[in-house]
Amino acid sequence: MRPLFIMAALPLFASGCASTLPPDVIASDDLAASQAEVRPLRYTSPVSGYTHRVPVDPKPWRNQNDAQTPEGGAS
């Protein structure tokens, strides 16, 4: 329990020794005056790539198994 406490407290202690504070992150008040270019969003339907599929009967498994068997037989 004690090594776990030391490992958790070590980063907190080391951060107190930082020479400078991290910069403040503040959102700009005037976003219309910014020079950033933003592409307009284009609507895409969530079902645009949908293809209709119907259930089919299973194929014979023995033929599929034989088609995937390596040539040369068992060694």
Side-chain angles (χ1 to χ4, degrees), residues 9-24:
L10 185 63
L12 296 173
F13 178 73
S15 66
C17 300
S19 61
T20 60
L21 294 174
D24 292 332

Side-chain angles (χ1 to χ4, degrees), residues 2-55:
R2 184 170 222 169
L4 182 62
F5 176 73
I6 292 171
M7 292 305 294
L10 185 63
L12 296 173
F13 178 73
S15 66
C17 300
S19 61
T20 60
L21 294 174
D24 292 332
V25 178
I26 301 173
S28 175
D29 293 334
D30 191 12
L31 293 177
S34 68
Q35 299 296 327
E37 293 183 20
V38 179
R39 293 185 302 168
L41 294 177
R42 191 178 68 199
Y43 175 77
T44 56
S45 173
V47 293
S48 62
Y50 174 75
T51 55
H52 179 70
R53 297 188 178 129
V54 295

